[in-house]
Amino acid sequence: MAADGPARWPARGLDAALTAVVVVIGVVDTWIKPSNGLLTGAPTPVVAAVSGAVGAVLWWRRHRPRTVCVVVMVGYLAAFTPVALAVALYTVGDAAHRAARVLALYGLAGCAVALGSLAADHSPTDPREAGYVLALILGPLVVGAAVGMRRDLVAAARAEVAGLERERHLLVERAQAEERARIAREMHDVVAHRVGNIVLTASALQVGPLAHAEPAVGDAAERIRAEGHHALEELREILGVLTPGRGRGARGAPRAPQPDALQLAQLVEGANARGQHARLTVNGHPEALPAQVQRALYRIAQETLTNAAKYAPGSEVALTVDCRLDRIHMAVTNGPATRPLPAELPPSGGNGLIGLTERVTLLGGTLTYGPYQDGFQVRADIPHPPRTGPGHLGPATAP
């Protein structure tokens, strides 16, 4: 019955207040009705002291409800203490609401004590008074049992709701896992197959007679093959995320490392090798940031460089990463196109920028994008985690 933890103090405070009220009522009632000592014939001060002691015993009613009830019944015979007996019987009913025999035993004992007290008074007993006393004894016992039963029903209902909620979460997780597995199969069967064909075609072109006759063709084929191979590696990483059980390859090979901020310069160099005009400026040490922040910076640079190549060919692209004390800022700005757009652009629904927005939002930051002067700009603002790397240095520029 004792409460634990933070809820213990309110319960103990309630017990203290209730005990004090019962003690005061018992003592005052004894002084107002000196006949309370008729059963023992003790003087009023003694009966008042017994009544106060009986009320004080209620302090332990949560720990020893049955023992306290027995003590209160004995005290009831020495000093008429109906309020203390009602509280004690209520506590027994609450604590032993599942034990019908215990409830019946204490109910009979309470009735016997009350009727014995009435019989000790030599004045004629009014049946209405006897009924009132019995109701005062049995009522709290029944109410306490009802409160205990209701508490059990509420606990059972909460447990059932919690079980249903866990089952719902399991069903949702199972459905999500099945959907991820389906998406992984589609990506493997469609995207990986197509990219694999591109890699094979580029490899064949690289060793073919046209590549020997035109070195530029061989270089382009090598870049296409390298990009395709890199795309397949990243696709395998995504498939590993979609299907957690496939954390390692079929032959036990570990997954390729995730991209980080150190690869930003390589990303810019690759874009320049493909004919873009990109420039990277880094202030601070992004390599000291958490891995998820570094991946976000890499993905932003990757997506914006690709978009600039598709929709603003020949434009200059400026990438700036600024690691400040409290936040990380990244801005990617491209100018207007200086070459004609391809005759047929690959279909795009803007999912790349939407995905980047979700990624940055999960890090607690914001991603904004839109027209900027004559071109387009993407800006990311990410809160800075606790610094664990080296101090802030001056700008370092990569061509």
Side-chain angles (χ1 to χ4, degrees), residues 11 13 28 65 82-83 95 111 116-117 171 190 194 218 313 324 355 363 380:
V28 171
V83 177
C111 291
S117 177
L171 291 176
V190 179
R194 297 294 185 185
R324 303 181 182 179
L363 296 173

Side-chain angles (χ1 to χ4, degrees), residues 35 38-40 77 113-123 125:
S35 60
L38 285 176
L39 187 62
T40 59
L77 295 175
V113 168
L115 294 177
S117 177
L118 290 175
D121 191 356
H122 299 292
S123 61
T125 302

Side-chain angles (χ1 to χ4, degrees), residues 35-56:
S35 60
N36 285 356
L38 285 176
L39 187 62
T40 59
T44 298
V46 175
V47 176
V50 172
S51 180
V54 170

